[in-house]
Amino acid sequence: MKVLILGIDGYLGWPLALRLGARGHEVIGIDNLSTRTFSEEVGADSAFPLPNPEDRVKEAKKHLGIDINFYVRDVNDYEFLKEVLRRHKPDVVVHFAEQRSAPFSMKDYKHAVYTLENNLSSTVKLVYAIKEVDPTIHILKMGTMGEYGTPNFDIPESPFVEVEIKGKKDKIVFPRWGGSVYHWSKIFDTDLLLYFNSLFGITVTDIMQGPVYGTRTQEIVNESLRTRFDFDETWGTVVNRFCVEAILGLPLTPYGKGGQIRGFISLEDSMEALRLLIEHPPNQGEYRLVHQFAEIYSVRKIAEIVKAAAESLGIETRIQNVENPRVEAEEHYYNPEIKVLPSLGFYPKKNLKDEAKAMIEDLLPYKERLSRFKHVIMPKTKWRR
Amino acid sequence: MKVLILGIDGYLGWPLALRLGARGHEVIGIDNLSTRTFSEEVGADSAFPLPNPEDRVKEAKKHLGIDINFYVRDVNDYEFLKEVLRRHKPDVVVHFAEQRSAPFSMKDYKHAVYTLENNLSSTVKLVYAIKEVDPTIHILKMGTMGEYGTPNFDIPESPFVEVEIKGKKDKIVFPRWGGSVYHWSKIFDTDLLLYFNSLFGITVTDIMQGPVYGTRTQEIVNESLRTRFDFDETWGTVVNRFCVEAILGLPLTPYGKGGQIRGFISLEDSMEALRLLIEHPPNQGEYRLVHQFAEIYSVRKIAEIVKAAAESLGIETRIQNVENPRVEAEEHYYNPEIKVLPSLGFYPKKNLKDEAKAMIEDLLPYKERLSRFKHVIMPKTKWRR
C-alpha cells in the first residue's frame, strides 16, 4: 500500500513510518517539525537527540533498507497537500499532524487559538483535498480516549448510541466532555469527521487511543532510529515522565489522588494496532471508530509499577502526590468497550511492568542530558482560575 | 449600563445599538464590516443601501439623540479588544461577531476553515480578554436553535440534561447535530463557553435564537437608520428571502417538502428580548441558556403567510418547492422549551402575518434595486456530494 503520514516526525509518526516501510509499504510523510519547535519553546527537548529529517531518512535506509519520502512542510498548506495526494496517490492518509498537548493548549489565549485552528483546519483541509483528488482515500485519524471524559456510562466502541431523555428515545453522538482546549479540539475534530462522512461519504478510521508509553519497537534497531521521547510537564505523557523522574532521583508525581483511570498502550503495540487498521481498512464510505489501548490502570498504580521497575535496576525512588494542575475527576467509573482491534487479530504483546524496565534501561545512558531539563518536569501550567 | 457590541454593523447589531442607546445605555461597537464584504463576494447586497459607519453614527445622533462609539476594527485583534475593554469598562459584551451563514460555510474548504477559525477564535479571545481585564463582565453570545438539529427529544432550556444509556444514568450536555460547518462552529462555540464557564467562572448568556425576520424596530424612524437586509441564497434567511421573491414576481421557494419546523422571531421582538437579557444579567459565574423565538412554523406555512401578505397588497405570487440544497429532515418532531424570557416579562408583540405585510411595504420602494440581484436568490450552494 501507499501510506501518507501527516506528522511523520512525531513520537508515533516516525516509528509508524519504520513499521510500514519494513512491511514493504511505500511511505510518504509531511511534517513542519512543530513539536521540535514547541518543545524548545517550553525549554524542553526529546530525551533522545533527534537526527534531522534528512539523516532520519538515511538511517532508515541504512539499517532497514527502506525508502521514506519526507517533506518538511506544513500540511495546512492546502495546495501543497493536494499536490502530494496527486503525486503519490496514497491508499490511506494517517493524520497525526495535530497539536497534541493539553497543558500547551492551556497556557494562554494564543496557545488555545493555535490548537483549535491548527487541529480543526488541518482536518477540514485534508477532507476537502481528498474529496477533490480521490474521495476513496482512507483517512486514519488519531483521536484520544480523553474525548470521553469520565462518564458514568459504559463507553461503546461506536460513534452513535441510543439514549433516553425524559421518556423519549433517539440516537445521538456518544456524549463527550473535554478537560482542556486540546481535548475539545479533538472532540470537534471527531464531530467534523462524522459530519463529513455523512455528507461526502469519505472513509474514516477514527482512533480513540489511550496514553502511549515506551521507547522500543521492532524497527528501532539502532540509536539513530529512535523516536522522540518527551518527559516534561507539557509534552511528556504520564508513564514516560515517571520513568525520567525515577532516573533523575525525583519523586514520581501523580496529580491529585492519582485515582484517574486510563487505558494505556505500549509504543510497540500501538504500531501493530495501527498497521492492522491500515492494512484492513473499513468499507468504502464507512466511519469506523476504534478504541486503542491494552491495559487499564490508575495513575497511582502506574507510579507503583514504575517505582518497582526502577528498584529492580537498583534505583531508589518514592511516590509523592502533587496538587492536580488540571480539573479532572480523581476517582471515577471507567468501562470502555474494545472489540474492533481484537476482531482484526490484535492482542497486546507488551505489558507495562516489563516495558517500564526497558524504558529506564534505554534512558539511563542519557541521564546527563536528561538532568539538564529537571526544571521543566514538575507541573507549572495550571488549569484552574 | 455600558454595552460593547461585537458585530455592531450587522442585521441585529445595529438595531440593538439603537435600542440600547434609546434606553439610555452607553453603546460601544466594533465591526470589521465583513458581512458587507462577504455579501459583495457573492454578488449580493443589502436591500436597503447602508450608510458608512461614520454616517450611521451621525444619523443615530440626529434622529435619536444618541451617541455611539463605532470602531471599524477586527475583534480578532486581541490587543485592540483588550484595549477597548480597558478603555470603556463595559458591563456586558454582546458577541455577534461571527460568520452567520450556513451556505457561506459550505462553499469550499476556505469558507469552512474561515468560519471555524473566525467563530471559535473570536470567542476564545473574548473569554481570555475578559479574564485578563475584568472577569465579572457578562458575555451575551448569539447562538442558534439550529445547534440542536431536529432531535426526537423535547429540547430543554438548559445546557445539561440527565440521560440514560444502557441502564446507566449521568448528566450530559444536551445532544446536538450540525447541519453545516457554520452550525458546527456554533455548537463548538457553546461547548467552549460552557467549558470556560466551568473553568474560569465567567458569566454567560448563551442565546439559541430562531431565524429573525423583519425590517422595523421602534428606533428605525428614518430610512437612514435602516439595518441591513439580506435576501440572497447565502445571507438571506427564509422569511426575508420570500418577501423579496414576492416583490420580484419570483415564486416563493421552500426547500424540499417545506416541512422543516423552526421557531421564528421578529426583529422588534428580538431587540426587546436582547434588551431584557442585558438589563437582567444572570448571577455572577452563571451560564444561562436562553431559547429566543416567538412563533413556531413550518417553512411551508411561512410561504403561505408571505403569499397572503403579498396578495393583500395586490401582488400575485405562487409557491414552488425546489430541490433542497441542504441535508436536513423535511418532516420531524420539534418541541423546544421556552421559559427564561417569559420569566423576565417578555412576550412577543409582533406576528408574522402583520410583519410580512409591513416588510413588503418597506421593501417595495426598493424594487428596482432588488431586481438587480434576482440571480443570487435561488439556491446554488449545494451540501450534498
Side-chain angles (χ1 to χ4, degrees), chain A residues 78-79 105-110 112-113 116-118 120-121 124-125 128 131-132 150-154 156 160-166 168-181 184 187-189 191-192 194-202 327 333 383-385, chain B residues 76 78-79 105-109 112-113 116-118 120-121 124-125 128 131-132 150-154 156 160-166 168-181 184 187-189 191-192 194-202 327 333 383-385:
Chain A
Y78 183 77
E79 292 305 324
S105 75
M106 298 308 288
K107 288 195 184 294
D108 55 24
Y109 90 88
K110 278 187 193 168
V113 165
L116 288 165
E117 291 193 351
N118 179 74
L120 272 57
S121 298
V124 170
K125 285 174 186 167
Y128 275 89
K131 182 169 163 272
E132 247 185 281
T150 50
N152 193 40
F153 310 116
D154 300 319
F160 297 102
V161 67
E162 171 106 348
V163 309
E164 184 169 327
I165 302 179
K166 300 207 163 112
K168 291 188 165 285
K169 287 185 184 171
D170 204 348
K171 216 175 66 172
I172 66 165
V173 181
F174 187 81
R176 287 158 297 157
W177 178 264
S180 72
V181 168
W184 284 109
I187 291 171
F188 301 162
D189 229 17
D191 283 333
L192 288 172
L194 268 172
Y195 175 63
F196 286 125
N197 166 262
S198 76
L199 197 66
F200 299 147
I202 50 160
V327 177
Y333 184 76
W383 265 244
R384 301 164 193 277
R385 55 183 140 147
Chain B
N76 273 302
Y78 184 77
E79 293 305 323
S105 75
M106 298 308 288
K107 287 192 186 295
D108 55 25
Y109 89 90
V113 165
L116 287 166
E117 291 193 351
N118 180 73
L120 271 58
S121 298
V124 170
K125 286 174 184 167
Y128 275 88
K131 181 169 164 270
E132 249 186 280
T150 50
N152 193 40
F153 310 116
D154 300 320
F160 297 101
V161 67
E162 171 106 347
V163 309
E164 185 170 328
I165 303 180
K166 299 207 164 111
K168 292 188 164 285
K169 287 184 184 172
D170 205 347
K171 218 175 65 173
I172 66 166
V173 180
F174 187 80
R176 288 158 297 157
W177 180 262
S180 72
V181 168
W184 284 109
I187 291 172
F188 300 162
D189 228 19
D191 283 333
L192 289 172
L194 268 172
Y195 175 64
F196 286 126
N197 166 264
S198 76
L199 197 66
F200 300 147
I202 49 161
V327 177
Y333 183 75
W383 265 245
R384 299 164 196 276
R385 54 184 140 150

Side-chain angles (χ1 to χ4, degrees), chain A residues 385, chain B residues 135-136 197-198 200-204 282-288:
Chain A
R385 55 183 140 147
Chain B
T136 69
N197 166 264
S198 76
F200 300 147
I202 49 161
T203 308
V204 178
N283 295 326
Q284 268 299 317
E286 187 184 338
Y287 173 99
R288 175 174 66 175

Side-chain angles (χ1 to χ4, degrees), chain B residues 69-313:
Chain B
N69 215 322
F70 190 135
Y71 296 97
V72 181
R73 292 288 291 267
D74 191 336
V75 301
N76 273 302
D77 179 340
Y78 184 77
E79 293 305 323
F80 170 74
L81 180 60
K82 230 168 57 179
E83 174 51 30
V84 170
L85 293 176
R86 287 223 170 90
R87 192 182 306 154
H88 295 282
K89 302 184 194 312
D91 300 289
V92 52
V93 180
V94 177
H95 183 14
F96 289 172
E98 301 205 349
Q99 193 297 89
R100 63 166 169 82
S101 161
F104 192 77
S105 75
M106 298 308 288
K107 287 192 186 295
D108 55 25
Y109 89 90
K110 278 186 191 167
H111 291 80
V113 165
Y114 171 79
T115 302
L116 287 166
E117 291 193 351
N118 180 73
N119 293 5
L120 271 58
S121 298
S122 60
T123 300
V124 170
K125 286 174 184 167
L126 176 59
V127 167
Y128 275 88
I130 277 179
K131 181 169 164 270
E132 249 186 280
V133 175
D134 177 2
T136 69
I137 295 173
H138 172 205
I139 297 179
L140 185 134
K141 193 262 288 172
M142 184 54 72
T144 162
M145 288 297 294
E147 293 181 27
Y148 296 121
T150 50
N152 193 40
F153 310 116
D154 300 320
I155 304 174
E157 204 175 5
S158 58
F160 297 101
V161 67
E162 171 106 347
V163 309
E164 185 170 328
I165 303 180
K166 299 207 164 111
K168 292 188 164 285
K169 287 184 184 172
D170 205 347
K171 218 175 65 173
I172 66 166
V173 180
F174 187 80
R176 288 158 297 157
W177 180 262
S180 72
V181 168
Y182 154 75
H183 286 98
W184 284 109
S185 79
K186 303 301 282 187
I187 291 172
F188 300 162
D189 228 19
T190 298
D191 283 333
L192 289 172
L193 282 179
L194 268 172
Y195 175 64
F196 286 126
N197 166 264
S198 76
L199 197 66
F200 300 147
I202 49 161
T203 308
V204 178
T205 297
D206 203 350
I207 303 170
M208 305 298 142
Q209 186 172 242
V212 182
Y213 62 86
T215 47
R216 298 181 183 183
T217 70
Q218 288 170 37
E219 292 79 18
I220 300 180
V221 294
N222 185 281
E223 288 301 290
S224 66
L225 293 176
R226 289 266 183 222
T227 188
R228 66 175 301 117
F229 186 94
D230 298 290
F231 54 90
D232 60 285
E233 61 120 7
T234 306
W235 295 99
T237 46
V238 57
V239 183
N240 293 3
R241 201 171 65 241
F242 283 178
C243 288
V244 171
E245 286 177 337
I247 287 171
L248 295 180
L250 296 168
L252 312 190
T253 51
Y255 293 164
K257 293 181 195 163
Q260 304 91 321
I261 298 168
R262 302 285 185 270
F264 294 85
I265 187 167
S266 70
L267 187 61
E268 167 61 30
D269 285 325
S270 175
M271 292 305 112
E272 200 52 16
L274 291 167
R275 177 188 73 73
L276 280 164
L277 293 167
I278 288 165
E279 293 180 356
H280 303 278
N283 295 326
Q284 268 299 317
E286 187 184 338
Y287 173 99
R288 175 174 66 175
L289 188 142
V290 179
H291 288 173
Q292 186 161 306
F293 59 85
E295 296 168 286
I296 290 185
Y297 290 116
S298 69
V299 171
R300 195 186 295 130
K301 183 72 189 168
I302 294 275
E304 285 164 14
I305 293 172
V306 172
K307 182 172 191 284
E311 283 169 359
S312 78
L313 292 165

Side-chain angles (χ1 to χ4, degrees), chain A residues 6-8 10 31-32 34-35 38 75-76 94-101 104 114-124 126 139-144 147 182-190 192-193 206 235:
Chain A
L6 313 182
I8 191 174
D31 206 301
N32 64 354
S34 64
T35 305
F38 293 149
V75 301
N76 273 302
V94 177
H95 182 14
F96 289 171
E98 302 206 348
Q99 193 296 91
R100 63 167 168 83
S101 161
F104 192 77
Y114 171 79
T115 302
L116 288 165
E117 291 193 351
N118 179 74
N119 293 4
L120 272 57
S121 298
S122 60
T123 300
V124 170
L126 176 59
I139 296 178
L140 184 133
K141 193 262 290 171
M142 184 53 73
T144 163
E147 293 180 27
Y182 154 75
H183 286 98
W184 284 109
S185 79
K186 302 301 282 189
I187 291 171
F188 301 162
D189 229 17
T190 298
L192 288 172
L193 281 179
D206 203 350
W235 296 98

Side-chain angles (χ1 to χ4, degrees), chain A residues 314-332:
Chain A
I315 301 168
E316 284 306 308
T317 187
R318 67 197 170 84
I319 297 169
Q320 184 189 311
N321 293 57
V322 295
E323 194 199 345
N324 197 338
R326 309 185 174 200
V327 177
E328 62 183 2
E330 292 168 13
E331 304 283 355
H332 57 88

